[in-house]
Amino acid sequence: MVQQVTSETPIEVIYPESDGQPMADNTEQFAWIVKIKENLEILFASSADVFIAGDLFWYPVKGSPNIKQAPDTLVVFGRPKGKRGSYLQWDEDNIPPQVVFEILSPGNTLKEMTKKLQFYQRYGVEEYYIYDPDKNDLNGLLRSGDSFEVIEEMNGWVSPRLEIRFQLTSDPLEIFSPSGQKFLSPVEIDQLREQERQAKEAALEELEKERDRYQELLAKLKEKGIDTDNL
């Protein structure tokens, strides 16, 4: 009797890159996600080992595609920039995102946010910020050992990792870079760039006029027989 030997083919584990859900529930939530994510990209543009993403699935455990979250914005220090369909932690030197942001919308439930908090606490997030634009309410949690501690005063708080400062006023939340530059929306950034361009053009035009006036003055002096070369 011949015993047949069968080879077992490993089953490929699929880690979905999308759940078919929208990135944001409303325009206000989306605007804040974009503002925070893009301004952090600008802030760390020269740092090759800081990876920033928005609404990207993070899988912390290999072989467990059901264990995942997609923070509105995540920041990973120690990983290179570049395209990713998802953040597979075991392929990233097992480095978890150190900072995550969530922007609340009316559709977020207490159960959903509790699960996110438990996930981020369990899988190594150091700083977790939750902003509700409708209520202009910012909450932060900071890792202490294996758990989170609530940051009691968020107004004026400076992120240990990002070094950005949060300012709560009667108007919407303001965030400032370490140099004091305010986080701006893409439209505001474009407007500022246009203002700088116009100011530069005005300065160049004034410089050209000054040169013309100088040349006219030299011409008049020469007409009067004055040696302008020795002035």
Side-chain angles (χ1 to χ4, degrees), residues 10-212:
I11 299 174
E12 181 183 4
V13 179
I14 304 298
Y15 302 92
E17 297 179 0
S18 172
D19 58 3
Q21 298 299 314
M23 179 178 178
D25 291 341
N26 57 54
T27 56
E28 184 73 5
Q29 184 191 25
F30 181 77
W32 272 102
I33 293 171
V34 171
K35 177 185 283 190
I36 292 174
K37 189 263 183 185
E38 292 304 313
N39 278 270
L40 288 175
E41 291 274 22
I42 293 170
L43 179 59
F44 292 101
S46 61
S47 300
D49 62 344
V50 179
F51 173 67
I52 299 166
D55 196 42
L56 184 75
F57 270 139
W58 161 27
Y59 293 92
V61 181
K62 187 175 184 179
S64 300
N66 292 326
I67 300 177
K68 65 181 184 299
Q69 280 295 341
D72 287 334
T73 300
L74 61 80
V75 184
V76 190
F77 290 84
R79 296 307 302 153
K81 301 182 187 304
K83 295 180 180 179
R84 290 167 174 80
S86 56
Y87 190 81
L88 306 177
Q89 188 171 313
W90 55 92
D91 287 338
E92 306 283 355
D93 286 347
N94 207 35
I95 299 176
Q98 293 95 350
V99 186
V100 299
F101 291 82
E102 293 288 354
I103 309 301
L104 297 184
S105 71
N108 291 124
T109 64
L110 177 60
K111 180 179 180 181
E112 174 190 1
M113 298 312 297
T114 299
K115 284 185 175 181
K116 287 186 177 184
L117 188 152
Q118 292 173 338
F119 180 96
Y120 298 146
Q121 181 172 264
R122 179 174 183 179
Y123 292 109
V125 170
E126 297 175 10
E127 301 176 41
Y128 176 26
Y129 300 104
I130 311 107
Y131 181 57
D132 184 341
D134 289 338
K135 298 179 180 178
N136 191 29
D137 183 41
L138 175 68
N139 289 280
L141 299 108
L142 191 66
R143 177 166 293 278
S144 176
D146 294 329
S147 61
F148 280 140
E149 287 188 356
V150 174
I151 300 169
E152 296 296 339
E153 181 55 69
M154 284 304 302
N155 190 27
W157 172 260
V158 176
S159 160
R161 274 284 189 175
L162 306 176
E163 298 183 355
I164 60 176
R165 177 170 56 87
F166 301 95
Q167 196 71 43
L168 283 165
T169 64
S170 57
D171 294 322
L173 169 69
E174 293 182 342
I175 306 175
F176 297 89
S177 72
S179 66
Q181 176 65 49
K182 181 181 174 181
F183 276 27
L184 302 173
S185 70
V187 172
E188 290 171 328
I189 292 173
D190 185 68
Q191 290 173 340
L192 181 61
R193 186 184 296 115
E194 179 62 18
Q195 291 172 3
E196 292 174 346
R197 185 189 66 79
Q198 291 178 0
K200 184 177 180 180
E201 286 185 354
L204 289 174
E205 288 178 5
E206 186 58 34
L207 180 60
E208 287 295 329
K209 291 179 181 178
E210 193 65 30
R211 287 174 179 171
D212 291 342

